[in-house]
Amino acid sequence: MTTYTPIELEYKLGYTEETRPGRVVRAYLREKYPHHPHGQRWVLDAGQAADVLANVPPNDAR
């Protein structure tokens, strides 16, 4: 099973110059999955990654 991290997904969305990599995706994930344990690493399956890519806007400043 392939897994993804918020940093990998942000890179796919064009967020390559972030000072805190993964921040935009993690903010979306915290809103969608509010019961995820705080401080625990996010490891996403293909379905969750597809949801992130469909709902987090790409960085147009590329």
Side-chain angles (χ1 to χ4, degrees):
M1 177 172 101
T2 302
T3 60
Y4 304 87
T5 66
I7 294 171
E8 292 171 317
L9 297 176
E10 270 201 7
Y11 185 77
K12 288 180 183 252
L13 291 166
Y15 293 90
T16 58
E17 301 293 325
E18 299 298 305
T19 56
R20 294 186 62 208
R23 182 183 60 82
V24 173
V25 170
R26 285 192 309 273
Y28 171 77
L29 292 169
R30 282 192 295 274
E31 186 175 309
K32 177 130 181 145
Y33 304 103
H35 299 294
H36 182 81
H38 182 73
Q40 184 177 351
R41 182 180 163 113
W42 290 94
V43 179
L44 310 173
D45 63 26
Q48 292 168 316
D51 175 63
V52 167
L53 295 174
N55 290 292
V56 175
N59 183 6
D60 293 330
R62 293 192 243 186

